[in-house]
Amino acid sequence: MENQENQLNQQEQLDQIERPDGAYDENQIQVLEGLEAVRKRPGMYIGSTDERGLHHLVYEIVDNAVDEALAGFCTEIIITLHKDGSCSVQDNGRGFPVGIHPKIGRPAVEVCLTILHAGGKFGGGGYKVSGGLHGVGASVVNALSRHMQVNVYQEGKVYQQEYERGKVLYDLKVVGETDRTGTTIRFWPDVKNEYDPNGIFETGEFQYDVLKTRFREMAFLNRGIRIVFRDERPEEPKESVFHYEGGISEFVKFINKSKEVLFPEPIYISGLVGTTSVEVAMQYNDTYSENIFAFVNNIHTPDGGTHLAGFNMALTRVINDYGRKHNILKANDTNLSGEDTREGLAAIVSVKLEDPQFESQTKSKLGNSEVRTIVNSLVGKQLADYMEENPQVAKLILDRCLAASRAREAARKARDLTRRKTVLESASLPGKLADCSERDPGKCEIFLVEGDSAGGSAKMGRDRHFQAILPLRGKILNVEKTRLDRVLANEEIKAMITAFGCGVGDEFDISKLRYDRIVCMTDADVDGSHIRILMLTFFYRYMRPLIEQGHVYAAQPPLYKVTYQKMERYCYSDAELDKVMTEIGREKKPDVQRYKGLGEMSAEQLWTTTMNPETRTMLRVSVEDAIAADEIMSLLMGEKVEPRREFIEQNSKLVLDLDI
């Protein structure tokens, strides 16, 4: 008995002892109920809480409506950006089910919008194929919205329910009568600001052009669906309507609109094997790069996967077989490589299947092995039939591929001259490169500088330990209009390839990159901007992973230097200059120097303003949308003048810093 009392006393004493900071016991275990988990870790569900994450909310709701279209029940989707910061998505599908869910005991629409992993896409027979697979889309949008309202139009009635940060405000109720079917979801994103520090998103500003690009893509991929996109926020509201009866064939025409095409109509291939549908549209153009975009259930897979592998195999095999059969490829000729058959090809490969397996959470690469066989067989048969039935087009394709093969061989010889030697043979580095002493690539950066005068200042001003300088003379070659063998003959480009050390084109190996940061440092004028875009065109076409993995930057040299008595201030924009002038007082007439070029700066000034990691501003170059990037590259840098003139006429009013 005494023993028991002692034990109890000891326990009481233990309970009274304050736990040290950082204690880990049963009290630290949190159970997040309902949608709390989403609000706690939004990045797990939508990737980020910046602009990209904000747009993801819209995509999730629109994807649900598109899934209705894929199931054959929806023909029109209307997306509206409202003046009050909300977004609404309306469709004419079947509408969310409003009956009581047998397991949960609440209306099915409420279950879908308030419970994670609840939806009709888990094999219940509601959907054969869908883009949003994990059943979190609508409920996640609800959790991350300050307010959400759903209206369901079904069986002659209008049902309504509202939510606040994922919590139900009132039971589902009938608010009117209707003769239509479908769903309208309107949500107000939960934005963080001074009035609401508990908000989720850093911004609530939807970008019309970004969303428009995505909706156009969806309309191309789903033949016949009509997507209306409205923006009511500006004084003059905007509206875009996307409706393509030609589907992905029109998509290919859109990709090629700034290019000369080899034959007028894209080759279209389609078929259904079991429950897997395959659509391919392809057309060759006069450029030297391939643009093949692959999709699975309307989701873009930038890293390809089994569907793209199947297409590539079929394309190379069929073209070689046709060349041999018709004696275009002679007996002693080697087979055309995949690279040869894809040069100048614009293609869309779209597959829709019941259970897609992706190799990552980001859905960037398809893993289903059976899809490779399906696409390979289907494309192989239909493309072979097409080439037999259209011998003129087939001959054009073969001639194009043979020219690519000859150029590839010439490029290989040119590339051998530019290839980086081993450390022992480091004399092969370009003579004008001022290299750094650091040998760890992760700590190094290289500045590509316009002209020798700026190069001289940069060499004197840099930190030799980790900063390398490569001066480039004049404007480099516009690679958009030139084949690889000619590109590699250009001295300035050759110097860049050799300095970076990672090769070029299909032999590009990013693990051999000698500098973690590649900085384009050009003058802050029209010529400087042109040189920078020529560099970026080269990186995008032949060294795209540099951009995709965030290695390319644009330096931001100052535009003005303001001097008043002993004070010196650098300004990087006209707005900043205006602010500084107001601070000092315009009546005091401070001295303002406009920098036209980097060569006007001393080494010390260049270091302070543009090169010192502590004080500089740099812009990282990224690719948000590969299709849009390709379109703008072809438009601005390609051979066709007319589309470029139209673009300039349409956008000339938007220019802010015109250097005249």
Side-chain angles (χ1 to χ4, degrees), residues 236-485:
E236 289 184 25
K238 293 186 276 191
E239 180 174 298
S240 300
V241 179
F242 304 113
H243 180 238
Y244 305 105
E245 288 297 340
I248 62 170
S249 290
E250 288 195 51
F251 200 168
V252 168
K253 286 182 179 177
F254 176 78
I255 293 169
N256 279 339
K257 71 177 181 187
S258 307
K259 301 159 187 163
E260 291 289 342
V261 293
L262 212 61
F263 41 90
E265 286 300 315
I267 301 169
Y268 178 72
I269 294 162
S270 69
L272 186 68
V273 178
T275 57
T276 300
S277 102
V278 179
E279 274 192 293
V280 173
M282 52 182 280
Q283 187 182 37
Y284 286 87
N285 56 51
D286 63 341
T287 69
Y288 304 113
S289 51
E290 63 178 82
N291 279 306
I292 305 173
F293 300 103
F295 297 86
V296 176
N297 294 0
N298 298 325
I299 300 164
H300 182 211
T301 46
D303 298 333
T306 50
H307 53 330
L308 189 58
F311 169 76
N312 289 344
M313 285 161 67
L315 179 73
T316 309
R317 185 182 71 254
V318 169
I319 290 176
N320 276 306
D321 288 353
Y322 186 89
R324 295 282 178 210
K325 184 179 173 183
H326 295 272
N327 208 30
I328 301 169
L329 280 174
K330 305 292 186 276
N332 56 351
D333 288 344
T334 56
N335 265 359
L336 295 163
S337 71
E339 192 182 341
D340 300 330
T341 60
R342 294 193 300 272
E343 185 183 277
L345 177 64
I348 302 292
V349 179
S350 174
V351 296
K352 289 167 182 165
L353 59 155
E354 275 190 6
D355 186 23
Q357 306 295 318
F358 295 97
E359 289 187 12
S360 66
Q361 188 57 39
T362 56
K363 300 183 179 178
S364 60
K365 191 173 184 181
L366 183 68
N368 300 57
S369 57
E370 74 281 3
V371 174
R372 182 190 288 109
T373 312
I374 291 170
V375 175
N376 186 1
S377 154
L378 207 140
V379 172
K381 184 176 183 318
Q382 292 192 30
L383 184 58
D385 290 349
Y386 176 90
M387 290 179 79
E388 290 294 347
E389 290 163 14
N390 300 271
Q392 285 177 309
V393 174
K395 178 77 166 55
L396 287 171
I397 293 172
L398 260 296
D399 288 348
R400 173 73 217 244
C401 296
L402 282 164
S405 176
R406 287 191 288 273
R408 184 171 57 88
E409 185 56 28
R412 187 187 62 75
K413 289 172 182 170
R415 190 158 39 210
D416 288 344
L417 299 172
T418 63
R419 196 169 279 128
R420 170 86 162 88
K421 301 285 194 294
T422 62
V423 177
L424 293 169
E425 299 170 288
S426 59
S428 66
L429 284 172
K432 54 189 178 180
L433 171 71
D435 210 356
C436 53
S437 55
E438 175 63 57
R439 283 288 163 260
D440 178 0
K443 297 174 183 173
C444 297
E445 53 190 34
I446 184 168
F447 288 84
L448 306 173
V449 185
E450 174 191 349
D452 288 337
S453 61
S457 299
K459 283 176 188 176
M460 286 175 4
R462 67 179 175 139
D463 183 330
R464 294 164 184 272
H465 178 61
F466 69 97
Q467 291 179 326
I469 309 291
L470 182 63
L472 299 173
R473 190 176 291 118
K475 292 184 178 178
I476 71 164
L477 192 69
N478 180 2
V479 303
E480 191 70 19
K481 300 178 181 178
T482 317
R483 209 177 224 126
L484 185 57
D485 54 322

Side-chain angles (χ1 to χ4, degrees), residues 634-645:
S634 301
L635 183 75
L636 299 180
M637 309 304 288
E639 292 279 9
K640 275 196 171 179
V641 176
E642 193 57 32
R644 185 156 52 246
R645 188 173 65 80

Side-chain angles (χ1 to χ4, degrees), residues 198-212:
N198 296 320
I200 300 291
F201 293 97
E202 297 154 26
T203 175
E205 194 68 28
F206 293 106
Q207 296 300 315
Y208 182 80
D209 287 337
V210 174
L211 292 168
K212 186 172 91 172

